[in-house]
């Protein structure tokens, strides 16, 4: 697939605001739930989500489809490494000296992938700590996007084997920029959903006692599901159009004429897709309503560290969120590494031919769009919960890894042929911080998985199916994560835990504002 699904689309808590009394102290001192509506910004007309704002949000995702820094930039880097290996040791050589050891091409790519995700951990910790405060949050995405565009256009100067190390560096930094843009674009959508006219009406109905708390929460969850699924579907359809144009460009560049033409073609399509991303991002930067985030309640520099410290220490009180983190870590490790392993195998199969890679992407994305459309309509029709749909996707990942594992036994199947892809547990108002924490978990898993897979490939030595051996590890990991998420995550319990967490946050922040140093 071209872009990886944000993966965080359902990771936002039910629309609750403890400062309005979503919970209160009972007679025995325990925290108890109050049947009152929340999310006050839903009642401020100037923050009402318009259809144009939603479409601008969709538009950004069509542009940031992954073709630039997630798909073709890694392919271009791997292509240059392959050509350098041939120049250094002949047509049968598939290894180079890199990072202190002789490594195969696939091992080098997986190692760079792991390094990239390790660096992301630090960046997410810093940015996520501050992004929930004030109204400057959109600026973070704007700056990150500009960096990503610079890298995309920069590939026009990197298309010869002698620049393979520069290509690997741009691959590493490019993945960082892409993942950051994707995460902070995603983190804006709970605010969009909760300020729609539909959710405002539901909040008023709840306040009037016309619907139950459970009905209100379900409407909130389904609206977030709708925005997430429609965004992914529209992005997929838009990406097919972009790829169709790219096919024409590749014929214009005549990528099949020579290796040099193919190299240049990869750089041209990365730059072209970057230009599309830039143009489609502008509406979102203009139309996004700068909804206020949290009041830091203290010096904003200290507030970022305070919030991060509180989240890390208090996560143990959010048992369901912690359980989800563990399951998400395991499943994310499997999925992220699976996508990378499949990509490296696919690149070898088509010998890095730009046109064939583009054709494969068109087929894959068309199937992706069909799957999204089907799953979302099934969920709407049968009113299935987010967790149910998450479990279905987890089963799909297990099947994907199982298919790849077949490639360890035969050269006819298992990604050996060209014809062969969290919002319920995040406290409200903490979206950017918790989205960062979940991203860190996902990136940490992506750091460990590629390194383990790289080591497995190296250990397989002369095995002709060595590049498929990581699927043994990935299949087992997917099964374990699915079982863990199925039995240990309870969304209803999570909502109560989130309310208690937010109340403790309110009390702790009040103490800090009052001059107490014990809460910091």
């Amino acid at each position: 697939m071209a872009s990886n699904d944000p993966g965080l689309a359902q990771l936002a808590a039910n629309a609750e605001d403890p400062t309005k009394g979503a919970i209160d102290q009972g007679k025995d001192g325990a925290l108890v739930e109050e049947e009152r509506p929340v999310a006050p910004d839903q009642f401020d007309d100037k923050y009402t989500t318009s259809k144009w704002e939603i479409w601008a949000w969709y538009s950004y995702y069509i542009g940031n489809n992954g073709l630039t820094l997630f798909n073709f930039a890694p392919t271009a880097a791997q292509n240059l490494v392959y050509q350098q290996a041939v120049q250094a040791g002949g047509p049968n050589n598939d290894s180079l000296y890199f990072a202190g050891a002789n490594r195969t091409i696939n091992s080098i790519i997986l190692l760079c992938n792991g390094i990239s995700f390790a660096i992301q951990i630090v960046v997410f910790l810093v940015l996520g700590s501050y992004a929930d405060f004030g109204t400057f949050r959109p600026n973070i995405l704007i700056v990150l996007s500009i960096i990503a565009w610079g890298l995309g256009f920069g590939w026009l100067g990197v298309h010869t084997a002698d620049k393979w190390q520069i290509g690997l560096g741009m691959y590493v930094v490019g993945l960082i920029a892409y993942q950051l843009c994707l995460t902070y674009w995603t983190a804006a959508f709970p605010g969009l959903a909760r300020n729609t006219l539909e959710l405002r009406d539901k909040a008023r109905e709840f306040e009037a006692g016309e619907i139950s708390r459970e009905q209100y929460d379900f409407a909130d969850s389904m609206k977030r599901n709708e925005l997430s699924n429609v965004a992914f579907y529209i992005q997929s359809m838009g990406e097919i159009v972009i790829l169709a144009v790219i096919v024409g460009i590749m014929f214009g560049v005549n990528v099949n004429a020579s290796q040099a033409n193919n190299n240049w073609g990869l750089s041209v399509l990365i730059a072209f897709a970057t230009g599309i991303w830039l143009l489609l991002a502008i509406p979102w930067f203009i139309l996004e309503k700068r909804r206020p985030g949290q009041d830091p309640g203290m010096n904003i520099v200290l507030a970022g560290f305070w919030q991060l410290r509180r989240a890390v220490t208090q996560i143990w009180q959010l048992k369901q969120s912690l359980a989800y983190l563990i399951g998400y870590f395991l499943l994310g490790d499997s999925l992220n590494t699976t996508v990378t392993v499949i990509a490296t195998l696919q690149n070898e199969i088509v010998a890095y031919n730009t046109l064939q890679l583009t054709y494969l992407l068109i087929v894959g994305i068309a199937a992706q769009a069909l799957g999204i459309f089907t799953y979302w309509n099934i969920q709407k029709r049968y009113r299935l919960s987010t967790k149910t749909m998450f479990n279905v996707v987890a089963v799909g990942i297990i099947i994907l890894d199982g298919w790849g594992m077949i490639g360890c036994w035969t050269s006819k199947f298992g990604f050996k042929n060209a014809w062969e892809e969290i919002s319920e547990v995040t406290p409200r108002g903490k979206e950017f911080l918790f989205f960062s924490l979940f991203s860190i978990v996902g990136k940490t898993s992506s750091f460990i998985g590629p390194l383990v897979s790289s080591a497995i490939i190296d250990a397989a030595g002369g095995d002709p199916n060595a590049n498929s051996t990581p699927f043994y590890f990935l299949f087992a990991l997917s099964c374990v994560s699915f079982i863990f998420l199925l039995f240990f995550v309870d969304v209803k319990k999570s909502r109560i835990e989130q309310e208690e967490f937010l109340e403790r946050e309110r009390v702790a922040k009040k103490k800090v504002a009052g001059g107490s140093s014990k809460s910091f």
Side-chain angles (χ1 to χ4, degrees), residues 281-343:
I282 292 175
W284 175 237
F285 294 158
I286 295 174
L287 296 177
E288 180 184 8
K289 295 180 179 178
R290 296 192 172 225
R291 299 175 179 86
Q294 302 177 65
D295 177 3
M298 64 188 84
N299 180 283
I300 193 169
V301 176
L302 295 178
F305 290 104
W306 184 88
Q307 173 163 274
L308 179 61
R309 175 183 174 275
R310 291 284 302 179
V312 172
T313 57
Q314 294 297 312
I315 190 68
W316 307 104
Q317 304 298 323
L318 294 167
K319 296 181 177 62
Q320 299 304 315
S321 294
L322 183 60
Y324 186 92
L325 274 173
I326 295 171
Y328 182 65
F329 175 91
L330 297 173
L331 192 63
D333 195 2
S334 174
L335 179 58
N336 289 322
T337 309
T338 295
V339 170
T340 302
V341 172
I342 292 174

Side-chain angles (χ1 to χ4, degrees), residues 125-126 129-130 133 295-311 433 505 509 512-513 515-517 519-520:
L125 281 173
V126 175
S129 299
Y130 293 93
F133 299 126
D295 177 3
M298 64 188 84
N299 180 283
I300 193 169
V301 176
L302 295 178
F305 290 104
W306 184 88
Q307 173 163 274
L308 179 61
R309 175 183 174 275
R310 291 284 302 179
L433 173 61
E505 286 290 283
K509 188 175 290 187
V512 172
S516 173
S517 62
S519 296
F520 185 78

Side-chain angles (χ1 to χ4, degrees), residues 12 41-42 47-60 137 184-200 220 223-224 226-228 231 284 287-291 428 431-432:
D41 52 351
Q42 290 180 345
Y47 297 129
T48 301
T49 302
S50 69
K51 67 175 182 179
W52 292 115
E53 187 182 14
I54 291 176
W55 275 98
W57 186 72
Y58 293 157
S59 176
Y60 183 94
R137 294 171 294 173
Y184 292 118
W185 165 83
T186 307
F189 94 96
L192 287 178
R194 288 165 179 161
N195 283 281
T196 58
L197 291 173
E198 298 96 316
L199 260 294
R200 282 168 41 129
D220 177 54
K223 191 62 182 180
R224 285 181 278 117
E226 176 188 332
L227 290 186
S228 171
W284 175 237
L287 296 177
E288 180 184 8
K289 295 180 179 178
R290 296 192 172 225
R291 299 175 179 86
R428 188 184 187 282
E431 283 83 9
F432 280 80

